[in-house]
Amino acid sequence: MKHTLVALVEDKPGVLNRVASLFRRRSFNIESLTVGHTHEPNVSRMTIVVDTELTAPHLVEANLLKLVNVIDVHDVSNAPTVMRDLALIKVQADAGSRAEIAQLADIFRAKIVDVAPDSVMVEVTGDEDKIDGLVELLRPRGIIEMVRTGQVAMVRGAVSANGNGNGNGQ
Amino acid sequence: MAQLTGAQIIWESLVKEGVEVIFGYPGGAILPTYDAMLDYPIHHVLTRHEQGATHAADGYARASGKVGAVIVTSGPGATNTVTGLATAMLDSSPIVCITGQVGSSVLGSDAFQEVDVTGITLPITKHNYLVTRADDIARTIHEAFYIAKSGRPGPVLVDITKDAQNAKTEFVYPTQVEMHKRHEHLLSESQLKRAAEMIDQAERPVILAGHGVLISGAMRQLRDLAEKTQTPVALTLLGIGVFPREHPLCLGMMGMHGEAYANRAVQAADLVIGIGMRFDDRVTGNLKTYSPHSKKIHIEIDRSEIAKNVHVDLPLVGDAAGVMDQLIPLVSAQQRHNWIEQIDEWADDTRARDILKRDASGKLLPPHVIGDLWQATGGDAIVVSDVGQNQMWEAQYYRHSAPRSLITSGGLGTMGFALPAAMGVKFARPEAEVWVVAGDGGFQMTAAELQTIQQESLKINIAILNNGFLGMVRQWQEFFYQRRYAATPITSPDFVKLADAHGIAGIRVTKREDVIPAIQTARDHPGSMLIDFRVESEESVYPMVPAGADLHAMIRRPVEAS
Ligand SMILES: Cc1ncc(C[n+]2csc(CCOP(=O)(O)OP(=O)(O)O)c2C)c(N)n1
């Protein structure tokens, strides 16, 4: 099973290194890790996906909370959550096959964002399964390169990960 | 407002934090700060190696409960602190280590004596900082002390560039720490009730008490809980002293070289209550067969220790004293005659094998030396032990009754810890009788600190259990490697002459009957004294649970052998 943790961290030099070093040192097996800004200045947000077969999510959470630069951690696995991953996929395509790829992309609500004589670039957003699905369909046509951002997650409804535990202590 | 240099601010801040003594070693990148030192009422101890400075600060912290302080230069000075920081980290000991760093304009350029010390020490500090502006020094040092001692304590390193030490700014000491508040996991009534029910219903409960009890100052609560529920208490190595060894419910140390009956009790228990301990592999042996019939309650302040090694049925996350304060009124008073008698029966076997009762037939046996040391000091000394057989014999035969009376490197098992740590202990507790117990190997690792002891006119007694071997490793080779003694025979200098060269008195003891008189001589001697105990060379520590073996599968001392 997969667990998704959302961590709010201080946007300071070295913080990603501290988190990565923790995962390495504790032999935590992390499926994906993404970092980005939030609406608050100086606060970054990490989405961490853990395979529970290999790594106990409660230990990831408890260890993250020991890092001084970590503001808060939530395990959102049991909450109704929107999860998104973005991929750019460059596929071999000539004039003959371009239309077919465009059609496929359409079904996945993906976009063609670049066209070259021998290739097209597809941009797709969605949950992991959806992107995996499109990748599998494109693979036989010859994927030249691909990049995925890794997953980001947000709980539905008017709750905020930033809402809790973000006060200044003692 | 007067402008101060960063260097002055460092000392102002340390004074504000209540630092009275700091252990260190100067060098280029920290020179501005050393220059400013002379104007401040903090005593600086020049150790002979930066590792010694960190161990001394660690010893100071463990003996006093306060934060120990270290100051060293960049590069090699900083890298020499690594072992001491890791030692403090693994044993949750609060120290703050200030390292000088090259100027911020050349950071990252491999400048002379530049090393990425915050990178190096990332996994062996609780937290660390790189400070490049004088403005940030006061706040950072204040935070560092707070972090070092709060929650589960640990070492904090503050790396300060030379230009930050030289720059001038206004000094304002913060009154608050701006840190992110963790949502407190308040214990629910139902959790506590459930714990009380589990304790009430248990027939064969055991408390496993560790260093966390000491850090929390929960000795009274531990005693109340144990006595009210008549639950025997087994101790981790670092838990020694939190529950008096002579208490009828005390089982002594458990684990690899623990008391056999303590380990048997853990294996037979139907309830294990871990308090401020972390189910380390030296305590559990094979996890698959560890205490197989018991439910487990874990009282622990560090949530990341819960269910890390063993399955826990009921975690009670929090400060040990606070949790027990809430728990004790909920448990009912019990008598557990059967269980206690059962354990006592197991202890008979240990008594039968007790080497202290045996005639050594002319040999000088290390357990006898420790037993005599315990008697001669009335059990009232602070013993700082090194690592190896000497450490285990000390833990077994010096029957500690007071908290903070055994100082030793547990988690990292750092040879060479004892002598420098003892200096810190003596600064923390000048009135106390301090004894170092070390092997001939470990002692040689940091023996240069004898001169620091001399320079500081400290009164420390040193007992070397000199067996001519790296004894503990030799023991493993004897048991598990067909006595192939690879690299374990070790020669030593004449320790008496070595002490003498340092201006410290020394005597050699080769016979049992001379042990107590020698100890008395050392105690009466106004200065430090070293005793070179020439002990039996191939004596082993019993019992022993081989690494990773079942806790009940102990190698016992043969009943007949002498
Ligand atoms: C710094 C360090 N290096 C190596 C070891 C591995 N080690 C553990 S016990 C031991 C032997 C210690 O010998 P000695 O100091 O003579 O003490 P004894 O066991 O004989 O009492 C060694 C080498 C260690 N714990 N620490």
Side-chain angles (χ1 to χ4, degrees):
Chain A
M1 228 184 51
K2 286 182 186 156
H3 264 238
T4 306
L5 305 177
V6 170
L8 297 172
V9 304
E10 289 172 15
D11 183 10
K12 276 191 186 167
V15 175
L16 179 59
N17 183 25
R18 286 177 197 275
V19 172
S21 165
L22 167 72
F23 291 167
R24 176 191 54 77
R25 181 166 75 87
R26 296 274 176 203
S27 303
F28 288 157
N29 209 299
I30 301 301
E31 286 255 328
S32 85
L33 168 69
T34 61
V35 199
H37 295 297
T38 66
H39 63 289
E40 285 180 74
N42 311 323
V43 178
S44 301
R45 179 169 168 135
M46 295 184 175
T47 307
I48 300 153
V49 182
V50 182
D51 185 342
T52 56
E53 296 275 305
L54 303 165
T55 296
H58 79 273
L59 287 183
V60 179
E61 185 182 342
N63 275 288
L64 278 170
L65 283 169
K66 282 168 64 168
L67 297 180
V68 169
N69 305 112
V70 170
I71 301 164
D72 210 351
V73 184
H74 300 269
D75 187 335
V76 299
S77 314
N78 295 322
T81 307
V82 177
M83 303 261 307
R84 288 292 180 270
D85 190 355
L86 182 147
L88 295 175
I89 312 163
K90 195 184 287 171
V91 196
Q92 284 174 1
D94 52 22
S97 56
R98 228 174 264 149
E100 208 183 328
I101 291 174
Q103 249 180 359
L104 263 182
D106 221 34
I107 299 170
F108 283 81
R109 281 194 248 163
K111 282 184 287 191
I112 307 283
V113 289
D114 182 58
V115 178
D118 299 328
S119 69
V120 295
M121 194 192 298
V122 183
E123 176 198 308
V124 59
T125 318
D127 62 25
E128 224 184 5
D129 289 347
K130 170 179 160 184
I131 296 179
D132 288 346
L134 178 59
V135 169
E136 282 326 302
L137 287 174
L138 293 177
R139 198 181 290 282
R141 293 165 198 277
I143 294 181
I144 299 165
E145 62 174 333
M146 175 174 89
V147 60
R148 289 172 72 154
T149 56
Q151 303 192 66
V152 293
M154 190 175 281
V155 175
R156 294 176 190 273
V159 293
S160 161
N162 299 51
N164 301 321
N166 193 20
N168 282 333
Q170 298 100 336
Chain B
M1 198 123 231
Q3 298 261 313
L4 297 184
T5 64
Q8 289 170 313
I9 290 174
I10 291 174
W11 295 109
E12 292 281 348
S13 305
L14 293 173
V15 169
K16 284 267 194 304
E17 292 298 331
V19 174
E20 290 166 351
V21 58
I22 191 163
F23 304 90
Y25 213 104
I30 195 73
L31 254 183
T33 301
Y34 267 87
D35 183 61
M37 177 178 85
L38 296 176
D39 303 328
Y40 290 89
I42 292 181
H43 179 67
H44 179 275
V45 177
L46 178 71
T47 55
R48 293 305 184 266
H49 189 292
E50 290 85 351
Q51 180 186 348
T54 50
H55 290 330
D58 187 347
Y60 177 89
R62 295 188 204 214
S64 66
K66 295 192 277 189
V67 178
V70 179
I71 185 162
V72 300
T73 192
S74 67
T79 54
N80 273 350
T81 66
V82 164
T83 302
L85 291 168
T87 303
M89 183 70 177
L90 278 253
D91 286 349
S92 309
S93 182
I95 65 178
V96 168
C97 179
I98 293 172
T99 52
Q101 181 56 281
V102 300
S104 57
S105 61
V106 294
L107 268 179
S109 72
D110 300 328
F112 178 64
Q113 295 196 328
E114 181 192 1
V115 74
D116 171 18
V117 63
T118 45
I120 289 173
T121 60
L122 191 70
I124 52 165
T125 50
K126 187 173 172 188
H127 191 58
N128 64 22
Y129 298 89
L130 170 61
V131 180
T132 56
R133 295 169 349 126
D135 284 338
D136 294 333
I137 291 175
R139 182 190 53 79
T140 305
I141 291 181
H142 187 48
E143 247 177 61
F145 275 79
Y146 173 81
I147 291 168
K149 69 187 171 214
S150 61
R152 180 176 176 175
V156 180
L157 180 136
V158 185
D159 196 26
I160 307 177
T161 57
K162 196 166 181 179
D163 52 321
Q165 298 168 48
N166 282 323
K168 282 196 163 179
T169 185
E170 237 172 64
F171 172 65
V172 193
Y173 207 61
T175 50
Q176 292 196 332
V177 179
E178 301 226 331
M179 302 238 314
H180 306 292
K181 212 194 252 155
R182 304 279 178 241
H183 22 226
E184 298 228 343
H185 288 262
L186 288 182
L187 293 176
S188 68
E189 192 74 11
S190 67
Q191 272 177 305
L192 288 159
K193 274 206 183 117
R194 181 146 168 253
E197 270 167 30
M198 286 166 76
I199 296 170
D200 286 351
Q201 284 161 14
E203 286 172 9
R204 300 182 308 280
V206 184
I207 291 172
L208 315 182
H211 195 194
V213 174
L214 179 72
I215 294 168
S216 156
M219 281 66 79
R220 182 185 55 74
Q221 287 85 347
L222 173 63
R223 202 173 171 139
D224 289 352
L225 181 66
E227 286 176 353
K228 184 171 181 188
T229 63
Q230 284 296 298
T231 302
V233 179
L235 303 167
T236 67
L237 176 63
L238 293 195
I240 286 177
V242 302
F243 195 71
R245 186 65 186 87
E246 301 300 306
H247 193 287
L249 287 168
C250 189
L251 304 182
M253 186 170 70
M254 62 189 148
M256 182 175 271
H257 292 294
E259 300 286 1
Y261 57 91
N263 287 346
R264 276 183 90 159
V266 172
Q267 290 304 80
D270 64 353
L271 178 69
V272 157
I273 309 162
I275 309 178
M277 50 82 69
R278 58 188 171 90
F279 294 98
D280 174 79
D281 57 83
R282 278 338 191 221
V283 154
T284 63
N286 183 358
L287 284 171
K288 291 203 181 77
T289 57
Y290 178 66
S291 191
H293 317 294
S294 63
K295 290 240 173 347
K296 300 189 179 64
I297 297 175
H298 196 181
I299 301 176
E300 170 57 50
I301 197 164
D302 181 353
R303 235 166 29 107
S304 72
E305 292 295 347
I306 304 282
K308 184 179 81 174
N309 297 337
V310 302
H311 172 78
V312 172
D313 298 278
L314 183 67
L316 297 176
V317 176
D319 176 67
V323 173
M324 282 192 274
D325 275 336
Q326 297 177 72
L327 185 58
I328 292 165
L330 303 179
V331 294
S332 28
Q334 301 268 346
Q335 301 293 332
R336 299 192 207 268
H337 296 300
N338 292 347
W339 175 228
I340 288 164
E341 273 163 30
Q342 167 71 80
I343 297 174
D344 199 51
E345 218 175 286
W346 292 332
D348 276 344
D349 181 50
T350 293
R351 287 188 276 266
R353 294 169 199 263
D354 187 356
I355 193 165
L356 290 189
K357 297 209 185 98
R358 282 189 212 167
D359 176 26
S361 47
K363 294 177 188 160
L364 184 57
L365 298 181
H368 288 176
V369 174
I370 303 293
D372 288 354
L373 180 64
W374 175 64
Q375 294 224 313
T377 56
D380 289 332
I382 302 182
V383 184
V384 189
S385 62
D386 211 73
V387 169
Q389 292 183 313
N390 61 87
Q391 180 184 36
M392 292 299 115
W393 283 317
E394 197 289 335
Q396 293 177 336
Y397 297 102
Y398 199 101
R399 299 171 72 84
H400 289 271
S401 53
R404 304 190 191 283
S405 67
L406 168 59
I407 312 282
T408 198
S409 164
L412 197 66
T414 307
M415 282 171 71
F417 172 80
L419 189 67
M423 303 191 297
V425 171
K426 193 66 190 180
F427 275 103
R429 306 267 298 275
E431 79 301 339
E433 177 178 351
V434 177
W435 278 86
V436 167
V437 168
D440 40 336
F443 185 78
Q444 288 188 70
M445 282 197 169
T446 51
E449 301 301 347
L450 282 174
Q451 196 46 214
T452 312
I453 290 174
Q454 184 62 3
Q455 185 169 358
E456 294 293 327
S457 308
L458 296 176
K459 162 65 179 158
I460 292 171
N461 299 316
I462 301 158
I464 301 179
L465 300 183
N466 185 352
N467 55 12
F469 278 105
L470 300 175
M472 185 57 91
V473 179
R474 184 210 59 76
Q475 173 171 347
W476 285 49
Q477 290 170 334
E478 176 188 331
F479 288 3
F480 313 119
Y481 294 91
Q482 298 84 44
R483 295 188 110 106
R484 289 154 57 85
Y485 290 163
T488 44
I490 183 170
T491 62
S492 292
D494 181 327
F495 286 125
V496 174
K497 281 191 188 156
L498 179 72
D500 185 53
H502 284 286
I504 289 173
I507 32 177
R508 176 165 303 120
V509 172
T510 54
K511 293 203 221 44
R512 174 77 192 274
E513 57 267 31
D514 297 337
V515 173
I516 289 192
I519 292 169
Q520 282 307 351
T521 307
R523 299 182 77 207
D524 296 340
H525 186 69
S528 289
M529 186 143 187
L530 178 152
I531 312 177
D532 177 17
F533 289 104
R534 293 293 179 89
V535 296
E536 184 59 18
S537 60
E538 293 191 48
E539 184 60 32
S540 288
V541 181
Y542 295 100
M544 177 176 189
V545 181
D550 305 340
L551 198 57
H552 48 273
M554 284 167 282
I555 304 174
R556 305 296 306 275
R557 181 188 301 282
V559 179
E560 287 304 312
S562 59

